[in-house]
Amino acid sequence: MDKIDRMRAFALVAKNASFTVAAHRMGRSARLVSKYVADLEESLDVQLLNRTTRNVSMTDAGVTYLAMCEPLLDGFDELEEAVTNQQTALRGAIHITAPTGFGSMRLAPSLAKFAAQHPEIEVDLRLSDSRVSLVEEGLDLAIRVGALRDSALKVRRLGPMPLVVCASPAYLMRVGHPAHPDALTEHECILDGNMTEPTVWRFHINGKDKAVHVRGRLRANAPAATARLAAAGVGIARCPAYTVSDALKSGELVEVFAEHRIAPYAVAALFPQNRRLTTRVRALIDHLASDVSLCGDETL
């Protein structure tokens, strides 16, 4: 029995929490896949998976082994591609996580273009506004929007994403247009719970960054929701440009303090430090970096 098959069987079972799914993806029977994993555990003299009649989960040793064996499997696959001169025919699965709003509005159309260019590529897009572990969830890539936190992950910046402070014309007519960012303390502000500091909005004034403390009765944990609340006329919101670009162009929303914008957020691809990127994942990252529609028009 081939050691690579044992490792691949374990990795697929661990990532999908299912012997049946792993068997389907390997083109083998579930019984044979189970034997592969059992033989791997026996050769290592350690239990990698917890098995019940309903669930499959990794042990601590399994988590460690998966993190170490996946780069080997990726390298083996890439070696086969190189030897057989198949680099131009990308194939295989890419598992990605991204924020719900950005993933739906901007990332999904870009992935559709990539999939059309490479018909043998499979894309598994998992949308979540919670930060997930790439290794534990069996993911190749995470797309993030915002201030990049310290992380053990490698980062490839894909483009800028401005933060736009905006309100509806009806709100500004009813309450008045704030003359200066300091005046926001007298306005109803819509807070984004995903921000590191939802009640601290920063502006670039006279060559320096200035923090303004705002308040508001309405808070949401998704930027698209804060944008819709602003469009409904209930207050002033601070939103990533992708959520408000169409509303700004149509006049449904109006930007305030455009001259005081701070440096834009980043759209970035993150991936594990210890994993060698496969040709297909590198090609996807290059595609996203070159797709001008991903981040949009930062001159809004």
Side-chain angles (χ1 to χ4, degrees):
M1 188 183 304
D2 188 83
K3 184 67 171 284
I4 293 294
D5 283 338
R6 296 177 187 174
M7 294 169 63
R8 196 180 302 282
F10 161 72
L12 286 171
V13 172
K15 288 160 63 174
N16 293 281
S18 169
F19 281 91
T20 302
V21 172
H24 175 74
R25 295 188 62 177
M26 289 187 72
R28 311 286 173 85
S29 69
R31 182 177 179 180
L32 182 57
V33 169
S34 180
K35 178 173 173 53
Y36 281 169
V37 175
D39 286 346
L40 178 62
E41 290 176 319
E42 183 178 353
S43 69
L44 296 170
D45 194 25
V46 66
Q47 184 177 345
L48 301 173
L49 297 174
N50 294 312
R51 306 161 176 83
T52 68
T53 55
R54 294 185 177 181
N55 297 304
V56 178
S57 62
M58 285 185 284
T59 64
D60 290 343
V63 172
T64 301
Y65 191 80
L66 180 64
M68 299 296 288
C69 82
E70 277 202 300
L72 297 176
L73 292 172
D74 290 341
F76 180 79
D77 290 342
E78 192 163 13
L79 175 62
E80 284 198 326
E81 286 182 6
V83 170
T84 55
N85 294 318
Q86 294 179 339
Q87 301 98 315
T88 56
L90 299 178
R91 58 167 54 89
I94 304 176
H95 305 277
I96 314 169
T97 182
T100 303
F102 183 79
S104 301
M105 299 171 67
R106 292 292 180 88
L107 182 59
S110 188
L111 291 177
K113 289 186 281 189
F114 182 77
Q117 294 167 6
H118 305 285
E120 296 186 61
I121 287 289
E122 301 172 25
V123 176
D124 174 19
L125 175 59
R126 306 181 196 181
L127 299 180
S128 173
D129 291 322
S130 300
R131 292 180 181 263
V132 300
S133 168
L134 270 64
V135 173
E136 291 182 9
E137 297 295 329
L139 298 165
D140 299 300
L141 203 59
I143 305 301
R144 298 283 181 245
V145 181
L148 297 175
R149 303 171 184 173
D150 290 339
S151 171
L153 300 174
K154 285 188 176 181
V155 177
R156 166 86 179 271
R157 291 177 182 268
L158 303 176
M161 180 57 64
L163 276 177
V164 177
V165 178
C166 56
S168 71
Y171 175 86
L172 296 174
M173 183 176 295
R174 184 175 76 251
V175 180
H177 196 298
H180 187 275
D182 287 337
L184 288 173
T185 57
E186 304 301 321
H187 282 261
E188 185 72 42
C189 293
I190 303 164
L191 308 179
D192 184 344
N194 279 329
M195 300 284 186
T196 304
E197 298 177 294
T199 60
V200 178
W201 292 8
R202 300 183 186 278
F203 299 89
H204 194 69
I205 302 173
N206 297 327
K208 298 180 180 179
D209 286 351
K210 178 180 177 62
V212 176
H213 292 266
V214 302
R215 60 179 180 81
R217 296 180 299 113
L218 297 177
R219 178 188 295 246
N221 68 346
T226 63
R228 295 315 304 161
L229 287 168
V234 297
I236 299 177
R238 181 182 60 160
C239 308
Y242 76 88
T243 63
V244 296
S245 57
D246 290 342
L248 291 170
K249 290 175 181 176
S250 69
E252 187 180 15
L253 286 171
V254 176
E255 183 174 5
V256 294
F257 311 129
E259 69 277 18
H260 297 308
R261 279 189 192 171
I262 62 169
Y265 272 8
V267 179
L270 287 73
F271 46 91
Q273 291 268 12
N274 64 344
R275 184 179 302 173
R276 178 182 175 85
L277 290 181
T278 61
T279 303
R280 59 184 179 272
V281 174
R282 283 204 308 271
L284 174 59
I285 294 173
D286 289 342
H287 164 79
L288 295 176
S290 66
D291 187 353
V292 294
S293 65
L294 185 70
C295 297
D297 182 4
E298 72 167 308
T299 63
L300 279 175

